């Protein structure tokens, strides 16, 4: 890490937005994001620094969390050695190059400049590569398979202008999904949807990377952490998309930091949050123990048979692995009967975890039907269920 300590508080994020607004009126100025030192410490338990979150991302970039089964291509070096990891529920990270994309509505002297980008601003204009920090992903599944052996954004709840944090040499910026690489069948062609490692002129400027579309870029060391789901789509025009992305930086650091702080993230697959379900009498959906994903977790009553019913969906009928993310801060395990659509599948043990803020996964294989299914977790002891955060259904 750089000796520069990047700590963005809400005030810091506002300062960043101001800095970048200034840069827009000085189109030629290369304005890296400010490394903000915090004058007054924010609450330690809810504010995460870029360095802390990046360390967590690296720690969770494990083989068990790898999403792609075939390697992606580094856009600059062409090495086939880039992987994508689910570092927390619905959050996907890769580290690669930054090649410079100068496409879109801003003029650029690059002879390869194209006037359009795949995604547009909220008024329908091609994105402005000199004003909007955006990253580039594959346009389609190169292998034409479902599920895709590579990371394919459409399979992971992502669409245009999806927010990402981008880290480089001690800096962090907010960025949006702006353009795509189209596919063809040449392993290392200029346009290959397996490529990862390209972003706009503005993203490069903000991160202090040479930003020329013909001579700029960096071969390695840029980490992109993408946040899926509609709530992470950034709206705005070319005039304010940069500011709108930067104000989300601290929110993203805090949400990801909290999700990763609680031990093991959910495994790969489709994650269904317990708080979308229903509880037997006396249960509550709580958020008083850190590290949960989504908006909370299920806390059933302490009683034999106390349960949470979690709705899940499966694309096709078949045997799927259900992985339950849970915590049990007591000194006794909390076994539970797992039922699918009312049919008991057996008892699954939920061993103790270090405390209620530490989350672990246990799994069981069950038959699911295509479409909607209900998973019941019903405690078999007088303690009821462990606290249940989510269930992940294997692909
Ligand atoms: C504590 C804890 C709850 C948990 C409960 C239990 O009250 O805060 O989250 O569900 O213990 O033992 O079930
Ligand atoms: Ca409980």
């Amino acid at each position: 890490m750089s000796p520069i300590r990047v700590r963005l508080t809400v005030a810091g994020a506002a300062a960043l937005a101001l800095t970048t607004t200034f840069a827009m009126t000085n189109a030629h100025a290369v304005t890296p994001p400010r490394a903000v030192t915090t004058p007054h410490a924010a609450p330690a338990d809810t504010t995460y620094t870029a360095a802390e979150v990046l360390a967590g991302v690296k720690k969770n970039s494990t083989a068990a969390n790898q999403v792609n089964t075939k390697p992606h291509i580094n856009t600059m070096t062409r090495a086939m050695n880039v992987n994508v990891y689910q570092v927390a529920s619905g959050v996907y990270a890769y580290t690669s190059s930054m090649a410079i994309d100068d496409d879109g509505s801003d003029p650029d002297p690059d002879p390869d400049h194209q006037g359009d980008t795949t995604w547009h601003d909220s008024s329908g204009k091609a994105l402005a590569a000199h004003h909007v920090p955006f990253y580039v992903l594959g346009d389609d599944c190169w292998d034409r398979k479902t599920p895709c052996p590579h990371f394919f954004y459409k399979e992971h709840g992502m669409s245009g202008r999806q927010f990402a944090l981008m880290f480089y040499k001690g800096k962090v910026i907010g960025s949006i999904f702006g353009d795509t690489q189209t596919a063809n069948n040449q392993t290392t062609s200029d346009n290959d949807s397996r490529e990862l490692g390209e972003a706009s002129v503005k993203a490069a400027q903000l991160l202090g990377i040479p930003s020329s579309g013909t001579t700029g870029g960096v071969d390695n060391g840029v980490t992109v952490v993408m946040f899926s789901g509609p709530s992470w789509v950034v709206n705005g025009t070319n005039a304010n998309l940069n500011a709108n992305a930067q104000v989300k930086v601290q929110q993203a650091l805090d949400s990801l930091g909290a999700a990763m702080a609680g031990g093991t993230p959910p495994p790969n697959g489709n994650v269904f949050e317990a708080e979308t379900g229903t509880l037997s009498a006396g249960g509550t959906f709580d958020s008083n123990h850190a590290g949960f994903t989504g908006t909370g977790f299920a806390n059933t009553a302490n009683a034999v048979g106390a349960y949470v019913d979690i709705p899940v969906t499966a694309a096709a009928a078949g045997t799927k692995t259900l992985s339950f993310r849970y915590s049990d801060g007591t000194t006794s395990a909390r076994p539970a009967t797992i039922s699918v659509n009312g049919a008991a599948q057996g008892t699954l043990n939920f061993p103790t975890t270090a405390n209620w803020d530490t989350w672990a996964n246990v799994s069981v294989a069950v038959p699911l039907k295509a479409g909607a299914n209900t998973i019941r977790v019903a405690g078999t002891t007088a303690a009821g269920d462990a606290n249940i955060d989510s269930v992940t259904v294997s692909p």
Side-chain angles (χ1 to χ4, degrees):
M1 289 294 302
S2 139
I4 302 168
R5 180 172 163 84
V6 177
R7 187 185 179 96
L8 292 168
T9 60
V10 175
L16 189 63
L18 282 178
T19 306
T20 50
T21 307
F22 176 73
M24 278 184 240
T25 58
N26 295 268
H28 303 291
V30 175
T31 310
R34 298 263 297 279
V36 184
T37 38
T38 325
H40 0 258
D45 53 340
T46 54
T47 302
Y48 289 85
T49 64
E52 285 166 350
V53 170
L54 184 58
V57 165
K58 301 272 172 189
K59 190 171 153 226
N60 286 334
S61 294
T62 59
N65 292 335
Q66 188 174 317
V67 179
N68 57 304
T69 53
K70 291 185 179 175
H72 287 266
I73 299 170
N74 175 312
T75 300
M76 286 291 273
T77 67
R78 325 305 302 177
M80 295 188 81
N81 64 359
V82 181
N83 297 308
V84 182
Y85 303 95
Q86 182 172 216
V87 295
S89 176
V91 183
Y92 304 95
Y94 65 86
T95 298
S96 186
S97 58
M98 187 188 292
I100 307 300
D101 187 348
D102 55 35
D103 289 345
S105 55
D106 278 335
D108 191 279
D110 180 359
D112 294 332
H113 173 81
Q114 295 178 314
D116 203 5
T117 48
T118 301
W119 306 107
H120 294 147
D121 78 358
S122 295
S123 65
K125 286 219 170 73
L127 292 174
H130 291 249
H131 290 79
V132 179
F134 63 78
Y135 60 96
V136 178
L137 297 174
D139 192 44
D140 57 12
C141 179
W142 190 86
D143 310 75
R144 310 265 183 249
K145 278 187 189 153
T146 307
C148 188
H150 294 95
F151 178 85
F152 179 35
Y153 70 91
K154 282 187 189 169
E155 293 180 350
H156 301 285
M158 289 182 60
S159 62
R161 301 198 309 268
Q162 199 81 45
F163 180 84
L165 291 169
M166 295 182 75
F167 298 83
Y168 182 68
K169 291 201 173 167
K171 299 191 181 83
V172 65
I173 63 165
S175 174
I176 63 171
F177 178 24
D179 208 359
T180 58
Q181 294 280 6
T182 48
N184 62 29
N185 57 8
Q186 292 169 36
T187 308
T188 56
S189 79
D190 280 337
N191 287 297
D192 187 310
S193 59
R194 295 169 299 179
E195 285 180 30
L196 287 175
E198 179 165 2
S200 68
V201 172
K202 183 68 180 181
Q205 289 177 350
L206 292 172
L207 289 171
I209 292 169
S211 63
S212 157
T214 49
T215 60
V218 67
D219 280 355
N220 267 302
V222 179
T223 298
V224 182
V225 181
M226 304 171 286
F227 290 67
S228 66
S231 67
W232 287 102
V233 171
V234 182
N235 294 318
T237 63
N238 281 320
N240 61 19
L241 271 169
N242 175 39
N244 294 353
Q246 304 320 321
V247 297
K248 284 186 181 290
V249 168
Q250 190 61 48
Q251 183 198 342
L253 289 174
D254 290 345
S255 130
L256 181 54
M260 294 189 304
T264 323
N268 295 326
N270 286 320
V271 181
F272 299 91
E273 295 293 342
E275 61 270 26
T276 63
T278 51
L279 292 156
S280 58
T284 49
F285 292 113
D286 295 347
S287 56
N288 59 331
H289 296 301
F292 54 82
T293 62
T295 58
F297 55 87
N299 167 6
T300 70
N302 300 117
V304 173
Y307 66 81
V308 56
D309 278 342
I310 310 174
V312 306
T313 55
T319 300
K320 307 285 178 189
T321 301
L322 302 180
S323 298
F324 296 92
R325 189 167 191 264
Y326 77 98
S327 70
D328 173 6
T330 70
T331 51
S332 310
R334 297 214 174 161
T337 300
I338 308 301
S339 304
V340 176
N341 306 323
Q345 305 296 321
T347 301
L348 185 60
N349 199 23
F350 289 77
T352 58
T353 57
N355 50 53
W356 291 109
D357 297 346
T358 300
W359 302 84
N361 296 296
V362 289
S363 60
V364 60
V366 300
L368 293 187
K369 59 187 170 80
N373 293 264
T374 300
I375 310 301
R376 175 168 294 187
V377 184
T380 63
T381 73
D385 278 344
N387 286 347
I388 306 291
D389 181 35
S390 66
V391 57
T392 298
V393 178
S394 64

